[in-house]
Amino acid sequence: SKKKEEERKRKKRESIKFPCNSGVIRTGNEEVIITDIRLYNRDGNESYIINSDEQMTVRVKYACMKKTLVDFRLGIFRDDNVHVYGFSSLACDGKAYEISGSGEFSFGFPCLTLLKGKYLLDIGIRDSEGNALDIMSGVKEFIVSDSTKGTYGLVQLNCKIECE
């Protein structure tokens, strides 16, 4: 029956979903489901403590129920809820990605310019029209260790002093 088929699909979606802590807010219609999120340091090791000025990669696995054109999104917030950074593949790169089945995408930061502190990640997948497929707010916490540059604030900027 139609009701049993819907229940079977719901149970399958629940079985592959990335497990969330109680503070995570998750929304979306679940046509695409995020199944795993991990952070990696410059050596390619999974790590949630990253040094300022070093490489960080966020890898996200997903399962897609049907072929879909999507926009991959990432947000970084400081632990006091200050929005530090946001990225959308559609808005920033002008590119939506066609996905189907299971796969993985990543966000790479060749030189992380955040300063010492605790940060939270938002990861989202929207369709090309902007509809939420799977969005997870505050899903991963990571720490940026102290920078040796003697700077303070949110980000490290290239700054040169000249005196004549």
Side-chain angles (χ1 to χ4, degrees):
S1 78
K2 188 174 181 179
K3 191 174 183 178
K4 284 184 180 180
E5 180 63 17
E6 286 298 317
E7 181 61 17
R8 185 189 68 74
K9 286 181 182 178
R10 186 193 67 74
K11 284 183 179 178
K12 179 168 176 55
R13 285 193 304 266
E14 288 298 319
S15 71
I16 62 173
K17 270 186 178 179
F18 182 76
C20 295
N21 295 330
S22 61
V24 174
I25 299 170
R26 190 170 199 164
T27 58
N29 65 18
E30 298 182 346
E31 287 180 13
V32 177
I33 296 172
I34 295 168
T35 60
D36 193 41
I37 302 168
R38 295 175 192 247
L39 276 66
Y40 295 87
N41 63 18
R42 68 175 177 191
D43 299 323
N45 297 318
E46 185 175 354
S47 179
Y48 298 89
I49 299 174
I50 307 290
N51 294 324
S52 188
D53 282 340
E54 291 188 351
Q55 179 180 327
M56 179 178 86
T57 303
V58 179
R59 291 189 190 147
V60 182
K61 292 183 180 180
Y62 63 84
C64 187
M65 304 308 153
K66 63 180 183 179
K67 190 182 287 187
T68 308
L69 201 57
V70 300
D71 175 19
F72 297 123
R73 294 180 174 214
L74 172 134
I76 298 176
F77 292 79
R78 202 169 56 189
D79 68 343
D80 62 358
N81 227 14
V82 171
H83 189 193
V84 177
Y85 177 79
F87 177 87
S88 157
S89 64
L90 196 54
C92 296
D93 286 347
K95 186 171 182 181
Y97 293 82
E98 185 174 88
I99 62 171
S100 62
S102 296
E104 180 178 310
F105 63 95
S106 63
F107 299 97
F109 299 89
C111 181
L112 191 65
T113 58
L114 297 174
L115 295 180
K116 181 180 180 179
K118 192 182 294 185
Y119 298 87
L120 297 167
L121 282 180
D122 289 1
I123 301 291
I125 304 174
R126 292 184 177 266
D127 67 19
S128 59
E129 302 299 315
N131 299 306
L133 303 176
D134 197 2
I135 297 175
M136 302 172 74
S137 299
V139 68
K140 281 287 181 183
E141 181 179 285
F142 66 100
I143 294 170
V144 175
S145 64
D146 198 12
S147 170
T148 59
K149 302 262 193 239
T151 56
Y152 53 93
L154 282 177
V155 296
Q156 193 161 270
L157 302 173
N158 287 329
C159 178
K160 290 184 179 180
I161 298 173
E162 293 183 20
C163 180
E164 294 181 21

